[in-house]
């Protein structure tokens, strides 16, 4: 079996984008299986958090940026902030809110809203308050587009 090119690259975001390129464009079943296995392993790794945010911030394509946010949503889907400590979950939520402001209305922004909504209950603040109040009270939300805020609140 040939060695995958993404396994020797230095920068994690570039590794993910190369694995995605292989997965989406090659007809070699062995390489596709390697790329899929590598990306699946990444999803359960500690590195997933940083790589996902890096893909969202500076992915080379809309698809790779969307993949990064989807990784986050998959990790967060089980509740409890995907195992992140409350301070880290709060920091990630703030980073996503800040990045969301720059996004036009799109599938990507909708997926970022989903990730933000999944993080609201994981931050350990305002546990007696409804999650909507917690999100609206976050200073980072102040200049978020209204439709994006409503999307996060509705999820």
């Amino acid at each position: 079996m040939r060695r995958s090119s993404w396994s020797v690259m230095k920068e994690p975001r570039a590794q993910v984008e190369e694995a995605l390129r292989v997965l989406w464009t090659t007809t070699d079943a062995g390489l596709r299986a390697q790329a899929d296995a590598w990306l699946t392993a990444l999803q359960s790794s500690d590195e997933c958090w940083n790589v996902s945010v890096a893909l969202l911030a500076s992915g080379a394509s809309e698809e790779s940026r969307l993949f990064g946010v989807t990784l986050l949503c998959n990790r967060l889907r089980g509740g409890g902030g995907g195992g992140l400590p409350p301070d880290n979950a709060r920091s990630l939520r703030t980073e996503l809110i800040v990045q969301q402001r720059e996004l036009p209305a799109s599938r990507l922004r909708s997926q970022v809203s989903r990730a933000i909504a999944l993080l609201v209950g994981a931050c350990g603040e305002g546990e007696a308050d409804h999650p909507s109040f917690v999100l609206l009270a976050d200073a980072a939300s102040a200049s978020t587009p209204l439709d994006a805020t409503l999307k996060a609140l509705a999820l």
Side-chain angles (χ1 to χ4, degrees):
M1 186 181 289
R2 291 189 314 190
R3 186 172 184 183
S4 56
S5 60
W6 61 87
S7 65
V8 296
M9 292 182 172
K10 301 279 191 263
E11 202 238 329
R13 183 188 53 80
Q15 288 177 303
V16 171
E17 289 184 321
E18 179 60 18
L20 288 171
R21 186 195 62 73
V22 167
L23 188 64
W24 292 336
T25 64
T26 190
T27 57
D28 183 321
L31 285 177
R32 288 175 54 89
Q34 281 183 335
D36 182 59
W38 188 85
L39 290 165
T40 299
L42 171 69
Q43 182 173 312
S44 60
S45 74
D46 289 339
E47 191 175 23
C48 177
W49 303 110
N50 292 329
V51 171
S52 297
V53 172
L55 280 167
L56 175 60
S58 59
S61 68
E62 180 83 4
E63 291 81 11
S64 63
R65 295 176 77 198
L66 185 60
F67 181 81
V69 178
T70 301
L71 278 177
L72 287 175
C73 288
N74 288 345
R75 283 293 296 262
L76 295 166
R77 192 176 353 173
L84 282 176
D87 287 344
N88 291 11
R90 192 175 305 109
S91 177
L92 177 58
R93 184 186 69 203
T94 299
E95 175 66 24
L96 292 175
I97 291 169
V98 168
Q99 288 194 36
Q100 183 186 46
R101 288 184 207 146
E102 307 301 319
L103 299 172
S106 63
R107 283 184 13 199
L108 179 59
R109 190 164 83 183
S110 292
Q111 193 73 332
V112 172
S113 294
R114 178 170 281 111
I116 291 167
L118 289 166
L119 282 163
V120 168
C123 296
E125 77 239 319
E127 292 179 5
D129 291 332
H130 189 277
S132 299
F133 297 132
V134 172
L135 183 59
L136 292 172
D138 187 326
S141 295
S143 61
T144 301
L146 181 58
D147 66 318
T149 301
L150 292 173
K151 176 86 173 176
L153 292 172
L155 293 171

